[in-house]
Amino acid sequence: MKVFKAGAAAAVAAVLALTATACGGSSDKASSDGGASGGAKNKIVIGIKFDQPGLGLKTPDGKFTGFDVDVATYVAKELGYQPDQIEFKQAVSAERENLIANGDVKLVVATYTINDKRKAKVDFAGPYFLAHQDLLVRADDTSITKVEDLNKKKLCSVTGSTSAQNVKTKLAPEADLREYPGYSECLTGLENKAVDALTTDDSILAGYAAQEKNKGKFKLAGLKLSDEPYGIGLKKGDTELQTKVNAALKKMVEDGSWQKAVDANFGPANYKAEPAPQITEGS
């Protein structure tokens, strides 16, 4: 009788071991598949900017703030992920397509303008925001009200910026272009009158102007020098994910969360954002 019990126990143990192995195999596959598609089964990896106040900023205490962060968090929730299941990964402009193609991230929400060149490599959902190239000037400066006023003025942008080159080559050829390593240096130069204006997307400018340390120092010229529709980047051909993200963006607008995020992140700069744009990708 004891032998029978021992044999039965051994059989049960064998079944449990096989079950555990099967579960382990499934878990490993989920982790492996998730890593190849921007997140394990219980998390999602989303690329954002880490250095853009008002849009995507990693604070010294390791938290993430900004409009893009709010959009990413909302979309992730609609996809079934809670905030603690989101892993934010830095997505510098030059690496966004690679991060998506390599499966390092599932989505990129990082002031990512939709254009044909990028659509050859990745797909987009959205757009979820319409920005424009603009100028940031000192709050008390009344000498720059149109782009032609930049002629003979010192114009700042970051090294290699297409925004500054657009102004220099097409709009104000006599502008004195000064290229600095980052926007923070441009802001310091603007405050100290080393430069007269800073140019990039108005949403980015508004984010910097809305920082507590900058409140009241700067203003946007409101010139709308270009259209920059921001989309959410994702792997090419993933129409199922594209459809789900588009649905989440529509819901965010309809339930008021989109406007709430705009007001919270850009309001302090008196930035008048465009209404939520119509979704065109995937339709």
Side-chain angles (χ1 to χ4, degrees), residues 130-136 144-150 155 162-168 170-172 197-202 205 220-228 274:
L130 180 60
H132 305 281
Q133 185 183 344
D134 199 1
L135 305 175
L136 191 71
I144 301 175
T145 59
K146 56 187 183 298
V147 71
E148 292 81 8
D149 293 335
L150 286 173
L155 173 65
T162 56
S163 299
Q165 293 298 334
N166 286 342
V167 171
K168 176 73 174 172
K170 301 176 184 177
L171 304 169
L198 162 61
T199 188
T200 188
D201 293 359
D202 53 7
L205 297 174
L220 284 98
L223 300 184
K224 298 185 178 180
L225 303 176
S226 70
D227 290 337
E228 307 293 339
E274 296 275 8

Side-chain angles (χ1 to χ4, degrees), residues 209-237:
Q211 282 186 293
E212 191 66 37
K213 63 181 180 180
N214 294 327
K215 285 182 181 178
K217 294 180 181 179
F218 310 110
K219 65 182 179 182
L220 284 98
L223 300 184
K224 298 185 178 180
L225 303 176
S226 70
D227 290 337
E228 307 293 339
Y230 293 166
I232 296 181
L234 50 98
K235 184 160 283 190
K236 199 158 186 64

Side-chain angles (χ1 to χ4, degrees), residues 15 53 95 99 162 258 267:
V15 171
E95 288 299 315
L99 289 171
T162 56
W258 184 91

Side-chain angles (χ1 to χ4, degrees), residues 23-43:
C23 291
S26 174
S27 176
D28 289 345
K29 186 176 187 299
S31 177
S32 174
D33 289 351
S37 58
K41 189 176 181 181
N42 63 342
K43 73 171 184 177

